[in-house]
Amino acid sequence: LGEISLTGSLSPITLKQNLGASAGFVDSEPFKLDVALSLAALEIMANGAFVIADDDTTPALELTTMQDSTQAGGELEIAAGGVLSEAVKWSALAGFMMPFVISGDTGDLAGLDLLNIELEAALGIKLSDWASLDYTFKAQRLPMITPDWQVQNGLLLTLTATLL
């Protein structure tokens, strides 16, 4: 079997712009809640990359070529965060973008199948004056790239040194 490169470096590239209004419903030290409504544009530059579109009923592995597309529509973002203790902070974000205008072939996608969803969560723990540990989780569904959820987990250990 030969190797197939699904994507190159920095591919696909997604760019998003927003124009709208946001409101802070709760803005206190232990808890903060913001909601934003906006018009949004999303550009996907796939650069001929592939995505796995496997059919379990066949022995072959099927691939689909990603396509470039531009979307414009309405977006709702809900962001929350807070301080659990002096050493523990958290944040969460849920974003929903419903495109009204799409360049590119949508195939069988219509209605809510086109909804772009982005979910994020983070937990930061201050271990000492010079060290912190942060965990991040991100799940997104961009149906013009793939109908499947894309999930990322991250763990970051930060060490700080004062030179002077």
Side-chain angles (χ1 to χ4, degrees), residues 3-92:
E3 291 185 19
I4 297 173
S5 178
L6 295 178
T7 61
S9 300
L10 302 174
S11 183
I13 295 174
T14 59
L15 302 173
K16 185 167 76 168
Q17 302 83 37
N18 299 50
L19 176 64
S22 64
F25 287 96
V26 179
D27 191 4
S28 64
E29 179 63 31
F31 182 74
K32 184 176 183 175
L33 177 66
D34 293 324
V35 176
L37 284 172
S38 61
L39 293 174
L42 177 67
E43 295 86 29
I44 298 170
M45 293 166 273
N47 301 321
F50 294 99
V51 65
I52 295 174
D54 196 29
D55 181 358
D56 292 339
T57 62
T58 65
L61 176 66
E62 289 87 10
L63 302 175
T64 301
T65 303
M66 290 185 221
Q67 63 175 325
D68 294 347
S69 71
T70 301
Q71 304 174 36
E75 183 172 50
L76 167 67
E77 280 191 354
I78 303 167
V83 178
L84 297 176
S85 71
E86 190 175 302
V88 181
K89 297 185 288 186
W90 67 276
S91 65

Side-chain angles (χ1 to χ4, degrees), residues 147-161:
D148 298 328
W149 282 89
Q150 301 169 57
V151 178
Q152 298 173 352
N153 289 282
L155 189 61
L156 176 66
L157 175 63
T158 304
L159 305 175
T160 305

